[in-house]
Amino acid sequence: MYLFKRRDDLERHLSSARKEGKRIGFVPTMGALHQGHLSLIAAAKENSDLVVCSIFVNPTQFNDPADFEKYPITIDQDVQLLAAAGNDVLFLPTVQEMYPNGLTPDMHYDFGELESVLEGAHRPGHFQGVGQVVHKLLGLVNPDKLFMGQKDFQQCLIINRLIKLLDLKVELVICPTLRETDGLAMSSRNLRLNPTERQNALHISRALTYIKDHIGSSPLNELSQKGMSQLKDHGFDVDYLEMVSILPDGNIAFPSVTGEEPLYAVVAARENSSGVRLIDNMQVN
Ligand code: AMP
């Protein structure tokens, strides 16, 4: 596996690979890798000739400085996992390398309503930061396919919109959420939970499963209220638990009844004793 810390070296390597006709698959991450990330690498390997993974904890997408400071970093282990998974190129830039002109954004992305609901409403500026870093990374890697996880439901919609806004040719491939055997969605932030908190965190996927199991038997708003009170009973601070679907224009709808289209329960909640904010989602129909 090649490891590049400098964008010039990465671009040189990739431009010669592209001249050889190689199709590039790209998996951007913030590291502290787990099997969920590795499933994206596996999907990229299956669908590309050369797989690039980036590890960069992007400061501009953290609206909460404490979350940024506490974000887990396990680089040595990440490098080993990626090499064992058959990843071809790892891009590991510094903040200076990614933001040579400072962190102030040089443009504003018009994500429309997508940016004012759910994560957008609770993490002001988050999606602008995501847009900023993914825009830069796509410019450097110039992949044929971009692999992202359904775990970050709204992020997938934002990146889809970014690709349209910038008129990029890249194809976004959305991969399913990997879970621990007990149902907890894999997440780098799970590393910040002690065993008791980790056990408590299970209530998030349980609330979503409860909704899925009862869909059709109660009105949607009752189900989301029920899921929310289950979480509150276990000491969670719930930012939102909503039933949503995706409109043809890529915006999020909040239907009050189940229709034909896929319906998702989406949740963000802070595990009380750790203070760790976790997100999850599940298709419930
Ligand atoms: P992150 O390192 O959290 O920024 O995530 C990097 C990529 O991995 C994103 O596209 C995530 O959606 C994806 N990802 C994170 N957790 C999971 C998971 N449990 N299953 C599948 N993909 C995931």
Side-chain angles (χ1 to χ4, degrees):
M1 182 172 76
Y2 289 90
L3 191 163
F4 299 114
K5 296 189 173 181
R6 307 190 58 106
R7 41 204 290 170
D8 291 355
D9 297 333
L10 175 76
E11 285 182 306
R12 204 170 307 119
H13 183 84
L14 293 182
S15 95
S16 67
R18 214 170 285 106
K19 277 189 200 125
E20 291 166 25
K22 292 196 173 150
R23 299 187 57 84
I24 297 171
F26 179 40
V27 181
T29 81
M30 298 204 298
L33 300 183
H34 49 67
Q35 291 301 320
H37 295 114
L38 298 179
S39 74
L40 302 189
I41 301 289
K45 272 185 81 66
E46 245 173 62
N47 293 284
S48 341
D49 304 313
L50 187 147
V51 180
V52 180
C53 175
S54 63
I55 295 181
F56 179 62
V57 185
N58 172 38
T60 69
Q61 72 186 69
F62 284 83
N63 53 309
D64 172 4
D67 189 29
F68 177 59
E69 268 147 40
K70 292 182 187 163
Y71 200 84
I73 293 178
T74 58
I75 285 297
D76 293 345
Q77 187 185 311
D78 293 351
V79 171
Q80 284 179 19
L81 286 172
L82 286 172
N87 181 65
D88 299 300
V89 172
L90 169 59
F91 182 46
L92 191 60
T94 59
V95 172
Q96 170 64 23
E97 191 69 13
M98 285 302 285
Y99 293 104
N101 302 321
L103 300 180
T104 314
D106 39 24
M107 72 182 275
H108 180 269
Y109 303 95
D110 183 7
F111 296 130
E113 294 165 39
L114 251 190
E115 207 185 344
S116 59
V117 296
L118 305 175
E119 288 298 283
H122 288 274
R123 300 186 68 186
H126 168 62
F127 286 130
Q128 288 299 318
V130 169
Q132 192 182 13
V133 75
V134 174
H135 187 177
K136 279 174 183 284
L137 288 168
L138 289 177
L140 291 173
V141 177
N142 191 11
D144 297 281
K145 295 187 183 189
L146 169 65
F147 296 83
M148 302 195 104
Q150 170 79 13
K151 158 85 171 21
D152 293 271
F153 179 90
Q154 197 172 359
Q155 176 169 275
C156 291
L157 297 173
I158 287 280
I159 298 307
N160 206 11
R161 174 100 13 122
L162 181 79
I163 289 169
K164 289 206 176 92
L165 281 176
L166 301 172
D167 197 18
L168 301 176
K169 295 291 164 279
V170 62
E171 179 191 340
L172 175 61
V173 181
I174 298 173
C175 302
T177 302
L178 251 73
R179 297 180 180 279
E180 305 289 354
T181 43
D182 58 11
L184 178 67
M186 291 180 184
S187 164
S188 304
R189 287 185 176 87
N190 294 348
L191 289 176
R192 291 182 47 206
L193 304 170
N194 72 25
T196 314
E197 295 156 355
R198 156 79 181 68
Q199 199 56 26
N200 200 35
L202 265 187
H203 290 290
I204 294 189
S205 58
R206 283 196 191 138
L208 300 182
T209 308
Y210 174 89
I211 293 172
K212 185 179 161 78
D213 290 346
H214 291 80
I215 202 84
S217 61
S218 308
L220 296 186
N221 63 343
E222 272 179 30
L223 287 177
S224 48
Q225 284 304 323
K226 182 80 191 208
M228 203 156 352
S229 51
Q230 287 173 3
L231 286 173
K232 286 181 178 160
D233 289 349
H234 289 95
F236 282 85
D237 204 349
V238 183
D239 274 356
Y240 58 82
L241 193 166
E242 300 266 14
M243 314 293 272
V244 304
S245 60
I246 303 170
L247 292 166
D249 64 4
N251 277 316
I252 291 176
F254 297 84
S256 51
V257 291
T258 316
E260 286 297 303
E261 67 290 344
L263 186 68
Y264 303 88
V266 293
V267 61
R270 201 174 294 279
E271 200 281 333
N272 212 299
S273 102
S274 57
V276 175
R277 183 178 183 278
L278 298 166
I279 60 168
D280 197 356
N281 69 87
M282 197 178 279
Q283 188 178 342
V284 292
N285 64 345

mmCIF file of all heavy atoms in Angstrom, residues 27-37 39-40 61 71 147-152 155-156 175-179 185-189, ligand 1:
data_model
loop_
_atom_site.group_PDB
_atom_site.id
_atom_site.type_symbol
_atom_site.label_atom_id
_atom_site.label_comp_id
_atom_site.label_asym_id
_atom_site.label_seq_id
_atom_site.Cartn_x
_atom_site.Cartn_y
_atom_site.Cartn_z
ATOM 1 N N VAL A 27 -12.652 6.131 -0.882
ATOM 2 C CA VAL A 27 -13.353 6.003 0.407
ATOM 3 C C VAL A 27 -12.791 7.045 1.381
ATOM 4 O O VAL A 27 -11.737 6.830 1.997
ATOM 5 C CB VAL A 27 -13.154 4.581 1.004
ATOM 6 C CG1 VAL A 27 -13.900 4.452 2.328
ATOM 7 C CG2 VAL A 27 -13.600 3.499 0.027
ATOM 8 N N PRO A 28 -13.460 8.195 1.519
ATOM 9 C CA PRO A 28 -12.982 9.181 2.501
ATOM 10 C C PRO A 28 -13.422 8.796 3.915
ATOM 11 O O PRO A 28 -14.577 8.393 4.117
ATOM 12 C CB PRO A 28 -13.673 10.480 2.066
ATOM 13 C CG PRO A 28 -14.847 10.071 1.253
ATOM 14 C CD PRO A 28 -14.615 8.678 0.747
ATOM 15 N N THR A 29 -12.517 8.925 4.878
ATOM 16 C CA THR A 29 -12.852 8.601 6.275
ATOM 17 C C THR A 29 -12.160 9.591 7.216
ATOM 18 O O THR A 29 -11.280 10.344 6.804
ATOM 19 C CB THR A 29 -12.377 7.182 6.698
ATOM 20 O OG1 THR A 29 -10.975 7.253 7.029
ATOM 21 C CG2 THR A 29 -12.595 6.146 5.619
ATOM 22 N N MET A 30 -12.546 9.496 8.479
ATOM 23 C CA MET A 30 -11.851 10.249 9.521
ATOM 24 C C MET A 30 -11.045 9.298 10.406
ATOM 25 O O MET A 30 -10.644 9.666 11.520
ATOM 26 C CB MET A 30 -12.847 11.058 10.344
ATOM 27 C CG MET A 30 -13.581 12.081 9.480
ATOM 28 S SD MET A 30 -14.231 13.470 10.403
ATOM 29 C CE MET A 30 -15.378 12.664 11.474
ATOM 30 N N GLY A 31 -10.809 8.075 9.929
ATOM 31 C CA GLY A 31 -9.964 7.141 10.670
ATOM 32 C C GLY A 31 -10.678 6.484 11.834
ATOM 33 O O GLY A 31 -11.910 6.472 11.890
ATOM 34 N N ALA A 32 -9.872 5.947 12.776
ATOM 35 C CA ALA A 32 -10.399 5.069 13.840
ATOM 36 C C ALA A 32 -11.276 4.012 13.163
ATOM 37 O O ALA A 32 -12.458 3.860 13.457
ATOM 38 C CB ALA A 32 -11.157 5.854 14.911
ATOM 39 N N LEU A 33 -10.622 3.321 12.243
ATOM 40 C CA LEU A 33 -11.365 2.466 11.313
ATOM 41 C C LEU A 33 -11.950 1.239 11.994
ATOM 42 O O LEU A 33 -11.360 0.682 12.919
ATOM 43 C CB LEU A 33 -10.438 2.023 10.170
ATOM 44 C CG LEU A 33 -9.843 3.154 9.327
ATOM 45 C CD1 LEU A 33 -9.007 2.569 8.187
ATOM 46 C CD2 LEU A 33 -10.921 4.071 8.766
ATOM 47 N N HIS A 34 -13.118 0.831 11.503
ATOM 48 C CA HIS A 34 -13.791 -0.378 11.982
ATOM 49 C C HIS A 34 -14.286 -1.146 10.753
ATOM 50 O O HIS A 34 -14.062 -0.718 9.612
ATOM 51 C CB HIS A 34 -14.929 -0.003 12.941
ATOM 52 C CG HIS A 34 -15.839 1.069 12.421
ATOM 53 N ND1 HIS A 34 -16.674 0.875 11.336
ATOM 54 C CD2 HIS A 34 -16.025 2.370 12.800
ATOM 55 C CE1 HIS A 34 -17.352 1.980 11.093
ATOM 56 N NE2 HIS A 34 -16.974 2.911 11.955
ATOM 57 N N GLN A 35 -14.987 -2.237 11.005
ATOM 58 C CA GLN A 35 -15.425 -3.091 9.891
ATOM 59 C C GLN A 35 -16.364 -2.350 8.936
ATOM 60 O O GLN A 35 -16.439 -2.687 7.759
ATOM 61 C CB GLN A 35 -16.118 -4.359 10.422
ATOM 62 C CG GLN A 35 -15.171 -5.322 11.134
ATOM 63 C CD GLN A 35 -14.037 -5.796 10.221
ATOM 64 O OE1 GLN A 35 -14.246 -6.072 9.045
ATOM 65 N NE2 GLN A 35 -12.836 -5.846 10.765
ATOM 66 N N GLY A 36 -17.108 -1.372 9.455
ATOM 67 C CA GLY A 36 -17.986 -0.582 8.582
ATOM 68 C C GLY A 36 -17.158 0.115 7.500
ATOM 69 O O GLY A 36 -17.476 0.049 6.303
ATOM 70 N N HIS A 37 -16.062 0.752 7.912
ATOM 71 C CA HIS A 37 -15.166 1.396 6.936
ATOM 72 C C HIS A 37 -14.604 0.339 5.972
ATOM 73 O O HIS A 37 -14.515 0.562 4.765
ATOM 74 C CB HIS A 37 -13.978 2.068 7.642
ATOM 75 C CG HIS A 37 -14.342 3.217 8.525
ATOM 76 N ND1 HIS A 37 -14.170 3.184 9.884
ATOM 77 C CD2 HIS A 37 -14.842 4.450 8.240
ATOM 78 C CE1 HIS A 37 -14.540 4.345 10.404
ATOM 79 N NE2 HIS A 37 -14.959 5.129 9.435
ATOM 80 N N SER A 39 -15.855 -2.373 5.048
ATOM 81 C CA SER A 39 -16.843 -2.852 4.076
ATOM 82 C C SER A 39 -16.900 -1.900 2.869
ATOM 83 O O SER A 39 -17.168 -2.322 1.752
ATOM 84 C CB SER A 39 -18.220 -3.014 4.722
ATOM 85 O OG SER A 39 -18.816 -1.754 4.954
ATOM 86 N N LEU A 40 -16.621 -0.619 3.106
ATOM 87 C CA LEU A 40 -16.571 0.338 1.987
ATOM 88 C C LEU A 40 -15.337 0.060 1.122
ATOM 89 O O LEU A 40 -15.390 0.154 -0.115
ATOM 90 C CB LEU A 40 -16.517 1.787 2.478
ATOM 91 C CG LEU A 40 -17.637 2.301 3.382
ATOM 92 C CD1 LEU A 40 -17.513 3.804 3.576
ATOM 93 C CD2 LEU A 40 -18.993 2.007 2.806
ATOM 94 N N GLN A 61 -15.752 20.535 9.939
ATOM 95 C CA GLN A 61 -17.098 19.951 10.040
ATOM 96 C C GLN A 61 -17.524 19.697 11.476
ATOM 97 O O GLN A 61 -18.613 19.185 11.719
ATOM 98 C CB GLN A 61 -17.203 18.675 9.207
ATOM 99 C CG GLN A 61 -16.457 17.485 9.772
ATOM 100 C CD GLN A 61 -16.498 16.308 8.810
ATOM 101 O OE1 GLN A 61 -15.893 16.346 7.740
ATOM 102 N NE2 GLN A 61 -17.235 15.272 9.169
ATOM 103 N N TYR A 71 -12.014 13.270 19.251
ATOM 104 C CA TYR A 71 -12.250 12.304 18.184
ATOM 105 C C TYR A 71 -11.137 11.250 18.212
ATOM 106 O O TYR A 71 -9.951 11.594 18.257
ATOM 107 C CB TYR A 71 -12.307 12.995 16.809
ATOM 108 C CG TYR A 71 -13.016 12.114 15.811
ATOM 109 C CD1 TYR A 71 -14.395 12.102 15.726
ATOM 110 C CD2 TYR A 71 -12.302 11.209 15.021
ATOM 111 C CE1 TYR A 71 -15.061 11.243 14.866
ATOM 112 C CE2 TYR A 71 -12.954 10.347 14.161
ATOM 113 C CZ TYR A 71 -14.332 10.380 14.092
ATOM 114 O OH TYR A 71 -14.983 9.507 13.245
ATOM 115 N N PHE A 147 -17.412 5.967 -2.437
ATOM 116 C CA PHE A 147 -18.142 5.018 -1.598
ATOM 117 C C PHE A 147 -18.403 5.637 -0.237
ATOM 118 O O PHE A 147 -17.464 6.051 0.453
ATOM 119 C CB PHE A 147 -17.336 3.713 -1.464
ATOM 120 C CG PHE A 147 -17.177 3.010 -2.782
ATOM 121 C CD1 PHE A 147 -16.178 3.391 -3.671
ATOM 122 C CD2 PHE A 147 -18.057 2.018 -3.173
ATOM 123 C CE1 PHE A 147 -16.046 2.779 -4.913
ATOM 124 C CE2 PHE A 147 -17.946 1.393 -4.411
ATOM 125 C CZ PHE A 147 -16.929 1.782 -5.286
ATOM 126 N N MET A 148 -19.687 5.669 0.147
ATOM 127 C CA MET A 148 -20.053 6.236 1.444
ATOM 128 C C MET A 148 -21.076 5.338 2.126
ATOM 129 O O MET A 148 -21.731 4.518 1.477
ATOM 130 C CB MET A 148 -20.611 7.648 1.280
ATOM 131 C CG MET A 148 -19.636 8.579 0.589
ATOM 132 S SD MET A 148 -20.077 10.316 0.755
ATOM 133 C CE MET A 148 -18.911 10.829 1.986
ATOM 134 N N GLY A 149 -21.225 5.523 3.436
ATOM 135 C CA GLY A 149 -22.085 4.645 4.224
ATOM 136 C C GLY A 149 -23.463 5.243 4.480
ATOM 137 O O GLY A 149 -23.592 6.429 4.802
ATOM 138 N N GLN A 150 -24.445 4.387 4.373
ATOM 139 C CA GLN A 150 -25.842 4.737 4.685
ATOM 140 C C GLN A 150 -26.002 5.181 6.139
ATOM 141 O O GLN A 150 -26.925 5.894 6.493
ATOM 142 C CB GLN A 150 -26.701 3.483 4.409
ATOM 143 C CG GLN A 150 -28.125 3.527 4.879
ATOM 144 C CD GLN A 150 -29.016 4.323 3.944
ATOM 145 O OE1 GLN A 150 -28.620 4.635 2.824
ATOM 146 N NE2 GLN A 150 -30.193 4.666 4.404
ATOM 147 N N LYS A 151 -25.040 4.752 6.984
ATOM 148 C CA LYS A 151 -25.031 5.154 8.394
ATOM 149 C C LYS A 151 -25.188 6.674 8.514
ATOM 150 O O LYS A 151 -25.865 7.178 9.390
ATOM 151 C CB LYS A 151 -23.711 4.675 9.017
ATOM 152 C CG LYS A 151 -23.252 5.370 10.262
ATOM 153 C CD LYS A 151 -23.889 4.759 11.466
ATOM 154 C CE LYS A 151 -23.357 5.229 12.788
ATOM 155 N NZ LYS A 151 -22.666 6.469 12.877
ATOM 156 N N ASP A 152 -24.498 7.393 7.596
ATOM 157 C CA ASP A 152 -24.595 8.856 7.585
ATOM 158 C C ASP A 152 -25.628 9.253 6.528
ATOM 159 O O ASP A 152 -25.297 9.768 5.452
ATOM 160 C CB ASP A 152 -23.226 9.468 7.317
ATOM 161 C CG ASP A 152 -22.281 9.206 8.468
ATOM 162 O OD1 ASP A 152 -22.241 9.996 9.397
ATOM 163 O OD2 ASP A 152 -21.596 8.161 8.447
ATOM 164 N N GLN A 155 -25.761 12.802 5.186
ATOM 165 C CA GLN A 155 -24.501 13.124 4.513
ATOM 166 C C GLN A 155 -24.528 12.594 3.075
ATOM 167 O O GLN A 155 -24.025 13.250 2.153
ATOM 168 C CB GLN A 155 -23.332 12.516 5.289
ATOM 169 C CG GLN A 155 -21.981 12.702 4.636
ATOM 170 C CD GLN A 155 -20.855 12.316 5.562
ATOM 171 O OE1 GLN A 155 -20.407 13.114 6.370
ATOM 172 N NE2 GLN A 155 -20.377 11.091 5.453
ATOM 173 N N CYS A 156 -25.109 11.408 2.886
ATOM 174 C CA CYS A 156 -25.198 10.844 1.530
ATOM 175 C C CYS A 156 -26.014 11.770 0.634
ATOM 176 O O CYS A 156 -25.649 12.013 -0.521
ATOM 177 C CB CYS A 156 -25.836 9.453 1.564
ATOM 178 S SG CYS A 156 -24.795 8.216 2.353
ATOM 179 N N CYS A 175 -23.317 2.386 0.652
ATOM 180 C CA CYS A 175 -23.166 1.020 1.172
ATOM 181 C C CYS A 175 -23.937 0.879 2.487
ATOM 182 O O CYS A 175 -24.060 1.839 3.254
ATOM 183 C CB CYS A 175 -21.690 0.724 1.421
ATOM 184 S SG CYS A 175 -20.689 0.909 -0.070
ATOM 185 N N PRO A 176 -24.457 -0.341 2.754
ATOM 186 C CA PRO A 176 -25.292 -0.542 3.952
ATOM 187 C C PRO A 176 -24.528 -0.338 5.259
ATOM 188 O O PRO A 176 -23.296 -0.475 5.304
ATOM 189 C CB PRO A 176 -25.766 -1.990 3.834
ATOM 190 C CG PRO A 176 -24.945 -2.623 2.774
ATOM 191 C CD PRO A 176 -24.326 -1.555 1.943
ATOM 192 N N THR A 177 -25.276 -0.052 6.308
ATOM 193 C CA THR A 177 -24.692 0.154 7.641
ATOM 194 C C THR A 177 -24.279 -1.189 8.248
ATOM 195 O O THR A 177 -25.100 -2.098 8.333
ATOM 196 C CB THR A 177 -25.741 0.813 8.570
ATOM 197 O OG1 THR A 177 -26.157 2.040 7.975
ATOM 198 C CG2 THR A 177 -25.173 1.061 9.963
ATOM 199 N N LEU A 178 -23.040 -1.275 8.672
ATOM 200 C CA LEU A 178 -22.604 -2.478 9.389
ATOM 201 C C LEU A 178 -22.846 -2.301 10.881
ATOM 202 O O LEU A 178 -22.586 -1.220 11.426
ATOM 203 C CB LEU A 178 -21.122 -2.755 9.131
ATOM 204 C CG LEU A 178 -20.920 -3.980 8.232
ATOM 205 C CD1 LEU A 178 -21.295 -3.641 6.812
ATOM 206 C CD2 LEU A 178 -19.525 -4.505 8.328
ATOM 207 N N ARG A 179 -23.341 -3.371 11.496
ATOM 208 C CA ARG A 179 -23.677 -3.335 12.924
ATOM 209 C C ARG A 179 -22.885 -4.377 13.687
ATOM 210 O O ARG A 179 -22.493 -5.399 13.120
ATOM 211 C CB ARG A 179 -25.180 -3.611 13.115
ATOM 212 C CG ARG A 179 -26.034 -2.558 12.465
ATOM 213 C CD ARG A 179 -27.535 -2.791 12.615
ATOM 214 N NE ARG A 179 -28.206 -1.696 11.934
ATOM 215 C CZ ARG A 179 -28.397 -0.501 12.477
ATOM 216 N NH1 ARG A 179 -28.032 -0.286 13.726
ATOM 217 N NH2 ARG A 179 -28.959 0.474 11.793
ATOM 218 N N ALA A 185 -24.859 0.198 15.709
ATOM 219 C CA ALA A 185 -24.209 0.604 14.464
ATOM 220 C C ALA A 185 -22.741 0.874 14.743
ATOM 221 O O ALA A 185 -22.399 1.573 15.708
ATOM 222 C CB ALA A 185 -24.877 1.853 13.911
ATOM 223 N N MET A 186 -21.854 0.300 13.913
ATOM 224 C CA MET A 186 -20.421 0.554 14.115
ATOM 225 C C MET A 186 -20.134 2.030 13.903
ATOM 226 O O MET A 186 -20.675 2.649 12.981
ATOM 227 C CB MET A 186 -19.610 -0.284 13.140
ATOM 228 C CG MET A 186 -19.677 -1.749 13.463
ATOM 229 S SD MET A 186 -18.706 -2.702 12.303
ATOM 230 C CE MET A 186 -19.098 -4.344 12.888
ATOM 231 N N SER A 187 -19.298 2.576 14.762
ATOM 232 C CA SER A 187 -18.956 3.993 14.673
ATOM 233 C C SER A 187 -17.630 4.214 15.390
ATOM 234 O O SER A 187 -17.371 3.586 16.422
ATOM 235 C CB SER A 187 -20.049 4.827 15.360
ATOM 236 O OG SER A 187 -19.578 6.135 15.613
ATOM 237 N N SER A 188 -16.821 5.112 14.854
ATOM 238 C CA SER A 188 -15.555 5.440 15.521
ATOM 239 C C SER A 188 -15.820 5.984 16.918
ATOM 240 O O SER A 188 -15.041 5.760 17.848
ATOM 241 C CB SER A 188 -14.787 6.481 14.717
ATOM 242 O OG SER A 188 -14.596 6.019 13.401
ATOM 243 N N ARG A 189 -16.929 6.697 17.073
ATOM 244 C CA ARG A 189 -17.232 7.305 18.371
ATOM 245 C C ARG A 189 -17.578 6.253 19.432
ATOM 246 O O ARG A 189 -17.545 6.552 20.622
ATOM 247 C CB ARG A 189 -18.365 8.328 18.247
ATOM 248 C CG ARG A 189 -17.918 9.609 17.545
ATOM 249 C CD ARG A 189 -19.031 10.649 17.538
ATOM 250 N NE ARG A 189 -18.595 11.915 16.964
ATOM 251 C CZ ARG A 189 -18.630 12.209 15.671
ATOM 252 N NH1 ARG A 189 -19.072 11.315 14.791
ATOM 253 N NH2 ARG A 189 -18.215 13.381 15.236
HETATM 254 P P1 AMP B 1 -16.288 8.511 9.149
HETATM 255 O O1 AMP B 1 -14.902 8.002 9.340
HETATM 256 O O2 AMP B 1 -17.171 8.347 10.338
HETATM 257 O O3 AMP B 1 -16.331 9.890 8.542
HETATM 258 O O4 AMP B 1 -16.945 7.571 8.063
HETATM 259 C C1 AMP B 1 -16.337 7.356 6.807
HETATM 260 C C2 AMP B 1 -17.310 6.627 5.920
HETATM 261 O O5 AMP B 1 -17.638 5.369 6.532
HETATM 262 C C3 AMP B 1 -18.632 7.379 5.756
HETATM 263 O O6 AMP B 1 -19.053 7.254 4.412
HETATM 264 C C4 AMP B 1 -19.539 6.654 6.700
HETATM 265 O O7 AMP B 1 -20.904 6.724 6.339
HETATM 266 C C5 AMP B 1 -19.035 5.241 6.589
HETATM 267 N N1 AMP B 1 -19.428 4.461 7.778
HETATM 268 C C6 AMP B 1 -19.312 4.834 9.076
HETATM 269 N N2 AMP B 1 -19.834 3.899 9.886
HETATM 270 C C7 AMP B 1 -20.311 2.909 9.077
HETATM 271 C C8 AMP B 1 -20.978 1.677 9.307
HETATM 272 N N3 AMP B 1 -21.275 1.256 10.529
HETATM 273 N N4 AMP B 1 -21.312 0.919 8.236
HETATM 274 C C9 AMP B 1 -21.024 1.338 6.971
HETATM 275 N N5 AMP B 1 -20.391 2.489 6.689
HETATM 276 C C10 AMP B 1 -20.043 3.274 7.721
#
